[in-house]
Amino acid sequence: QTVDQNFLGEAPSPFWHQISPFNNHRTWRGHLPMKSVVSTEYSRKVFLGGVPWDIKNEDLEIKFSAFGSLQVEWPPSKNGMKPRGFVYIVFDEQSSVGR
């Protein structure tokens, strides 16, 4: 049986026998290094769930203003009213979120 070199693409020559037109998947059998980079950046937009349906923007702003300047975003709803259950708190500074 001959091997079509164009079909193999970038496959290393020791593994040519594992690739055929009927079995054209490749499996990685190596060791991946551990991720060593730890990100210290946070999104300024914070999901807040379990919000009572009758809460006011002012109440949320007073409660979370201890962490920095912010805006309260209510996700859009289909019927034009405030959706019940969650909001997004968007801080002006990224550093406010990590506190």
Side-chain angles (χ1 to χ4, degrees):
Q1 180 180 11
T2 61
V3 177
D4 181 3
Q5 300 253 346
N6 293 328
F7 175 77
L8 295 175
E10 71 278 0
S13 59
F15 302 106
W16 283 354
H17 68 281
Q18 295 177 1
I19 300 172
S20 74
F22 306 106
N23 183 12
N24 62 0
H25 67 277
R26 299 178 189 166
T27 304
W28 173 258
R29 290 193 177 103
H31 176 71
L32 296 176
M34 295 292 291
K35 183 178 177 181
S36 61
V37 178
V38 178
S39 175
T40 57
E41 292 189 24
Y42 299 97
S43 171
R44 294 183 309 116
K45 191 172 196 174
V46 178
F47 173 84
L48 180 62
V51 177
W53 65 271
D54 58 348
I55 198 163
K56 298 176 185 168
N57 283 3
E58 296 80 26
D59 296 334
L60 291 168
E61 289 170 356
I62 290 168
K63 189 67 172 172
F64 289 95
S65 65
F67 300 102
S69 298
L70 61 98
Q71 291 84 39
V72 177
E73 287 186 4
W74 292 89
S77 65
K78 294 179 183 175
N79 59 5
M81 298 179 65
K82 288 182 184 177
R84 297 183 174 116
F86 70 97
V87 298
Y88 294 103
I89 305 293
V90 183
F91 290 96
D92 293 341
E93 300 291 325
Q94 184 265 338
S95 61
S96 299
V97 179
R99 295 183 192 177

